[in-house]
Amino acid sequence: MEFSDSMSRWSGHGNTEFKRNVVDAFQKRSRVRLVIAKTSETTYVDSGKDASLVKKEFFTREDLIGEVAELNGDNFFSVSENCKSGRAGATRAA
C-alpha cells in the first residue's frame, strides 16, 4: 500500500510534533504504522481547507507497517506492506 499527504493540511494541536516525527522517521528509516483519520466532511477537506477544524475519528492499522519513503518539504510519501511480523519490505526512494 502506498499513501501520500501534505503536512500543511492541518494546523491543530500536535502538528509540530507530527512534522518532527515524520522527518525523524524519514532520516532514521524508522518503521511507521498507518493511522487513518475519518470524517464525514470530506468535501470540506478535499477542497484543501484546514482539516483540523472538522470532527474526525482516528484508527490505527496494526497490520500495516512501513516507512516514510520520500519527504519533499511539506509532502510525504509512505510505503507499507501487509505484514503481521511488523517488518515490511518497503524500499527507500532515492
Side-chain angles (χ1 to χ4, degrees):
M1 174 181 281
E2 299 176 354
F3 57 95
S4 63
D5 206 346
S6 168
M7 291 185 265
S8 64
R9 286 176 45 109
W10 62 285
S11 61
H13 300 294
N15 183 273
T16 301
E17 180 181 4
F18 174 74
K19 289 178 182 179
R20 186 173 52 244
N21 289 340
V22 170
V23 170
D24 188 57
F26 178 71
Q27 291 173 343
K28 294 179 180 177
R29 299 185 71 169
S30 300
R31 306 318 262 164
V32 294
R33 179 180 301 119
L34 177 64
V35 176
I36 299 168
K38 181 180 177 183
T39 183
S40 61
E41 299 184 47
T42 56
T43 302
Y44 182 89
V45 175
D46 289 343
S47 72
K49 295 179 181 172
D50 187 351
S52 70
L53 301 176
V54 300
K55 183 177 179 181
K56 293 171 287 304
E57 294 179 82
F58 295 92
F59 306 91
T60 59
R61 287 288 307 264
E62 302 292 331
D63 60 326
L64 291 176
I65 307 293
E67 68 178 42
V68 180
E70 196 173 310
L71 180 61
N72 183 2
D74 184 49
N75 302 303
F76 62 95
F77 173 76
S78 296
V79 178
S80 298
E81 288 186 13
N82 183 359
C83 64
K84 295 178 183 173
S85 69
R87 296 184 54 106
T91 57
R92 186 175 180 88

